[in-house]
Amino acid sequence: MCARRGGRPGNGDGGRDRATLALLLQRHRGAVVHFLYRMVRDRAVAEELAAEVFLRAYRSTGGWSGPAAQPAVLLFRMAAGLALKELSKGKGLALPAPPADVFEEVRRAVAAMPAKQRAAVLMHKYHRMDSGQIARVLDCSEPKARSLLLSAYDRLRGRVAAYEAVPDWDAAVTGTD
């Protein structure tokens, strides 16, 4: 799936470029849209950003070779950059209503995280990327990516700690007394 060194995906043949793009779309579109939606919390914006990611991938004049040329890493790197740029516009994305349960509390906690922490958690949890891949996507060191993950998961633990303090939590969850 990697392209020739220094060129667009494919070998310069428009048909192969389109075939490579079709393969990228088939394999990665759902994950990219899901990631973008979790980042910007707006389906229409996520779809627009995803289209831009794949358009940029198609037009790319480099980056499709070498050790970091994993298509998912390159696509998520583009997606993360576009999402962070969108979030920096300060559109004031609204948080959901108060939580009804622990799962909603986790969703709210993730939504309230700083953008790079949220990106790291979403790639780690939903797209099974390790800290090395996350570092390449976010263009930071691997220790920094691990730090983002540790801080994010600490924040999540703190937010759901109140649920652990509920006296009859086990009974409430299992339906037993």
Side-chain angles (χ1 to χ4, degrees):
M1 205 164 8
C2 293
R4 61 186 168 86
R5 190 173 293 279
R8 282 196 333 226
N11 67 357
D13 172 13
R16 281 191 80 174
D17 288 348
R18 284 188 293 278
T20 300
L21 178 63
L23 187 59
L24 286 173
L25 282 165
Q26 177 185 359
R27 289 187 179 172
H28 302 287
R29 184 183 180 284
V32 168
V33 169
H34 183 257
F35 169 74
L36 287 165
Y37 174 73
R38 294 282 186 182
M39 285 295 293
V40 300
R41 298 183 307 274
D42 182 310
R43 180 55 115 192
V45 172
E47 292 283 348
E48 287 177 27
L49 293 175
E52 180 65 23
V53 166
F54 287 99
L55 182 61
R56 287 182 182 190
Y58 180 73
R59 290 181 177 164
S60 176
T61 59
W64 291 95
S65 59
Q70 298 170 336
V73 169
L74 294 170
L75 293 170
F76 274 89
R77 185 175 192 160
M78 287 184 238
L82 288 171
L84 293 171
K85 185 176 178 180
E86 182 72 20
L87 292 171
S88 73
K89 292 178 182 177
K91 291 190 174 189
L93 300 171
L95 293 176
D101 61 17
V102 71
F103 299 110
E104 185 60 27
E105 181 63 22
V106 170
R107 283 187 208 93
R108 286 185 51 140
V110 170
M113 286 178 181
K116 280 196 174 186
Q117 271 187 7
R118 184 167 64 243
V121 165
L122 294 174
M123 287 183 274
H124 185 252
K125 175 68 178 157
Y126 292 107
H127 304 288
R128 296 186 176 138
M129 290 187 180
D130 61 33
S131 59
Q133 293 170 310
I134 293 168
R136 288 192 298 276
V137 168
L138 295 179
D139 196 25
C140 64
S141 67
E142 191 168 344
K144 174 65 175 174
R146 282 194 299 268
S147 175
L148 287 169
L149 288 169
L150 288 172
S151 297
Y153 286 129
D154 282 346
R155 179 180 289 224
L156 286 173
R157 277 190 286 280
R159 290 284 292 263
V160 298
Y163 288 94
E164 294 172 0
V166 175
D168 292 328
W169 175 252
D170 290 331
V173 171
T174 62
T176 61
D177 291 326

